[in-house]
Amino acid sequence: LDDLQWADSASLDVLQHILSDIKGESCVFMIGSFRSNEVNEDHPVTTLMNSLERCNVRLSRLHLDGMDIEGVNHIISDALGTFPRICKPLSQLVLRKTKGNPLFVLECLRSLVDRDLLHYSIRERRWVWDTDIISRVEITDDVCE
C-alpha cells in the first residue's frame, strides 16, 4: 500500500485487525510505504506500527534516500540512449529539481519532453536540450515533495 500517511483511521484500523491476527488464521504479507517527512511520532501510521509490534507482528523498516548524481545520470543516460558524459549537465539539473527521487526523475523527464524542452532531433540523431532554459523552469511541488 502506497502513501499510508494519507490513510484514514478506519482504513488503518482494518489493517491493524488483518495484520495482528492473534488467532494465527491468516497469512498476510504487506508492504506499506509512507513519506517519512509527513509522519511523526504522533501520526496514526506510527501508532499502527507500534501497535503491530506490541502484537508481535514482525516489521521491517527501510528508509530510502534519493539517488546521487551517478544514479540520476545512469537513469537519464539509459532513458535517452546517450553516453553518461553527454547528459551529465542535464542530470545535474534534474537531480537538483527532484532531490534524486527515481520516480520524480522520470516524471521530470516526461515534463521536459511535454514542454518541448527535451526533444529528439532527427537532424542531430540525438536528444537535445538547453540547460540554461531548463534551469529556469519551475517543477511543480508534487514532483519535488
Side-chain angles (χ1 to χ4, degrees):
L1 298 174
D2 194 17
D3 292 324
L4 284 173
Q5 74 275 3
W6 296 328
D8 60 38
S9 60
S11 298
L12 293 176
D13 288 344
V14 169
L15 282 175
Q16 165 72 33
H17 181 73
I18 292 170
L19 296 173
S20 64
D21 174 29
I22 57 175
K23 294 179 183 177
E25 295 174 347
S26 74
C27 288
V28 176
F29 179 80
M30 186 194 112
I31 297 176
S33 69
F34 60 88
R35 296 179 183 189
S36 58
N37 63 331
E38 294 183 28
V39 174
N40 59 27
E41 288 301 316
D42 299 324
H43 195 279
V45 170
T46 304
T47 304
L48 170 65
M49 290 189 305
N50 292 338
S51 176
L52 290 171
E53 285 177 331
R54 282 192 303 276
C55 292
N56 295 320
V57 174
R58 290 193 311 162
L59 299 178
S60 297
R61 298 176 191 203
L62 177 64
H63 179 82
L64 301 176
D65 290 321
M67 295 184 302
D68 60 11
I69 185 59
E70 286 78 22
V72 171
N73 198 40
H74 183 80
I75 285 178
I76 292 176
S77 173
D78 279 354
L80 302 183
T82 189
F83 293 110
R85 64 181 163 74
I86 292 173
C87 61
K88 188 137 190 190
L90 175 63
S91 297
Q92 290 168 330
L93 289 171
V94 171
L95 174 65
R96 193 175 75 232
K97 291 179 179 293
T98 64
K99 299 179 178 125
N101 181 310
L103 172 64
F104 296 161
V105 167
L106 295 174
E107 289 300 317
C108 184
L109 287 178
R110 284 185 192 102
S111 176
L112 294 174
V113 169
D114 290 346
R115 297 176 189 187
D116 203 32
L117 298 171
L118 172 64
H119 63 276
Y120 189 81
S121 169
I122 294 174
R123 184 171 49 85
E124 296 181 45
R125 289 196 242 171
R126 68 177 187 92
W127 288 90
V128 294
W129 59 88
D130 185 326
T131 53
D132 291 332
I133 293 173
I134 292 172
S135 68
R136 294 189 300 265
V137 169
E138 293 292 324
I139 301 296
T140 60
D141 286 344
D142 59 339
V143 168
C144 292
E145 293 182 358

